Amino acid sequence: MKHLLFIFIATALCACNRYTEQDATRVCGVPVKGTPWELASTLASQRGGSFVPECVQIDGNKAYIRGWLDTNGTEEPYRVAPYDDGLLPAEIVCDLANGQVTHAGLYCEILDKE
């Protein structure tokens, strides 16, 4: 009986900690999870992604993934010099807890977009 109760409790605890992508916050189409480097890697490996990461900077409980916003896949690509290639400087600002990303948002100053 004790073993059965232990198995039941262990299963219940595992279910409480299970991650589902439906519940995750998303940035640039990918779920926000893991470390800032893992998020940057996921963004970089996404084919046809709208954000191309270049570097990651950690500052306390914030992380900054700096890179380029690719507007070429949009209906109206940005074509104003010096960004006439459609790539705009942008960053993803992440909130951290214990080194893990809890929230992230894309910011592009040129588009004045958050």
Side-chain angles (χ1 to χ4, degrees), residues 24-25 32-34 36 39 61 94-104:
T25 302
V32 174
K33 62 180 180 177
L39 179 57
N61 62 351
C94 307
D95 294 328
L96 302 177
N98 299 321
Q100 302 293 304
V101 179
T102 58
H103 181 266

Side-chain angles (χ1 to χ4, degrees), residues 100-113:
Q100 302 293 304
V101 179
T102 58
H103 181 266
L106 174 69
Y107 179 72
C108 180
E109 184 177 348
I110 292 169
L111 297 178
D112 194 29
K113 177 180 174 181

Side-chain angles (χ1 to χ4, degrees), residues 83-100:
Y83 306 110
D84 50 356
D85 61 356
L87 296 175
L88 306 176
E91 69 181 2
I92 295 176
V93 179
C94 307
D95 294 328
L96 302 177
N98 299 321
Q100 302 293 304

